[in-house]
Amino acid sequence: MTGTEAMPPGTVVFQSMPEARQPWVDKCMTTVADWARHHGADYRTVGDAGFFAKIPVWVLERCDTWINPATDLARLLTARRLLATYSYAVWVDADVVVWGGDFLPLPRPLDAAFARERWMEHWPDGRLRFLDNVSNFVCAFAAGGSFLDRHIADVLAAIRSATGPLKMGVAGTSLLTRGYPRETFELLDGIGNFSPALERALATGAADDVWAYEAGLTRPLVAANLCLSHEDRPFQGVAADAATIPRLVDTLAARRGPLWPSELIGRKSHVRPA
């Protein structure tokens, strides 16, 4: 299927975000809505009341440090409800910006699909560290598939059995990356995850760091998650610059095709991923 072919009827793209949010988040969500409609899918936003309506109280009580485990579960429960009337339900985090929608087909998995994530951070000694993860900032499910119900049960079990304060990815990235063989679901490429470390590298023009991230990509990017969860928290001891993400959103939303991250700093790498 090419990027310009419309999806068959019965696909919904859905998102959720509190009413109080930064303007740049609205801009991201607009790019997702445009992408969905361009490919012939319905687009829905779900308010907090409906999004968290089916979350068990004990789950919310455990999410006193990070809300992410509750939202990880909420997107799955919402997808299951939507699949009563749609053939495919596609979740996209509110902080995902799409700039190459023509080149990003809407996922139509046989069962389930999740984003392939290359995560960039630093070791304590300052060296770069990269993790090859599976993440749910974009995920899709097919009606009649078996994985969604299994995953909901696994998420509840992971939240229930975790000791101490719940970590951010206990029901999301950590579970998806280490809890299942990779062949369990389809992996979506071309959607980056711009960690705070990568965002700082882009903002400061740290070409070596950007090239190191880029070297592990399988293709140029057409969308990216911008890590809203870390916006108001220091990451690895470094506080976020409030202007970095809004500037990045403006730059990316103005693009119309695939790009390598080094193009954002005007320092194209001479060595492209194989």
Side-chain angles (χ1 to χ4, degrees):
M1 186 172 84
T2 67
T4 57
E5 291 177 354
M7 290 289 293
T11 300
V12 60
V13 174
F14 68 104
Q15 297 187 283
S16 181
M17 190 65 194
E19 290 186 9
R21 55 183 179 262
Q22 297 290 341
W24 68 262
V25 176
D26 286 318
K27 192 166 210 174
C28 288
M29 295 177 73
T30 296
T31 69
V32 173
D34 290 345
W35 167 66
R37 292 166 182 147
H38 174 72
H39 288 290
D42 288 347
Y43 174 78
R44 289 193 185 185
T45 56
V46 184
D48 272 0
F51 191 57
F52 291 105
K54 300 298 183 180
I55 299 292
V57 173
W58 67 266
V59 171
L60 295 173
E61 290 175 344
R62 294 221 60 195
C63 296
D64 54 352
T65 302
W66 293 98
I67 192 61
N68 300 72
T71 62
D72 290 334
L73 177 59
R75 73 194 62 183
L76 302 177
L77 297 176
T78 304
R80 185 162 64 182
R81 293 199 299 272
L82 290 169
L83 288 174
T85 52
Y86 286 94
S87 298
Y88 304 97
V90 181
W91 163 267
V92 183
D93 276 12
D95 55 349
V96 170
V97 57
V98 178
W99 63 85
D102 284 353
F103 303 88
L104 181 63
L106 285 168
R108 186 174 53 171
L110 294 175
D111 191 341
F114 295 90
R116 189 193 305 270
E117 174 188 273
R118 179 167 169 79
W119 179 259
M120 173 174 151
E121 60 185 26
H122 291 92
W123 291 101
D125 64 5
R127 289 179 299 132
L128 287 178
R129 179 190 185 200
F130 297 97
L131 302 176
D132 177 22
N133 292 330
V134 177
S135 190
N136 62 3
F137 55 81
V138 178
C139 53
F141 305 95
S146 62
F147 183 76
L148 180 56
D149 284 342
R150 170 191 174 187
H151 189 42
I152 289 171
D154 290 343
V155 164
L156 287 167
I159 294 173
R160 189 183 295 276
S161 63
T163 58
L166 289 186
K167 294 183 179 179
M168 180 180 177
V170 66
T173 300
S174 296
L175 177 60
L176 289 166
T177 302
R178 290 181 278 279
Y180 307 99
R182 291 292 169 96
E183 62 270 17
T184 305
F185 34 68
E186 298 173 31
L187 292 176
L188 307 173
D189 287 315
I191 310 169
N193 196 1
F194 285 13
S195 70
L198 178 58
E199 289 170 356
R200 285 197 297 272
L202 292 169
T204 60
D208 288 345
D209 289 359
V210 176
W211 288 338
Y213 170 81
E214 185 174 287
L217 299 179
T218 59
R219 52 174 281 195
L221 302 178
V222 291
N225 179 280
L226 300 178
C227 291
L228 175 62
S229 297
H230 293 288
E231 186 183 37
D232 297 323
R233 299 173 186 246
F235 179 75
Q236 296 187 316
V238 181
D241 179 349
T244 295
I245 295 181
R247 283 198 300 260
L248 194 54
V249 171
D250 287 342
T251 298
L252 292 172
R255 300 293 295 241
R256 289 297 179 268
L259 65 82
W260 296 101
S262 58
E263 296 176 49
L264 296 171
I265 58 173
R267 298 284 300 277
K268 279 189 184 180
S269 173
H270 296 295
V271 180
R272 290 302 187 197

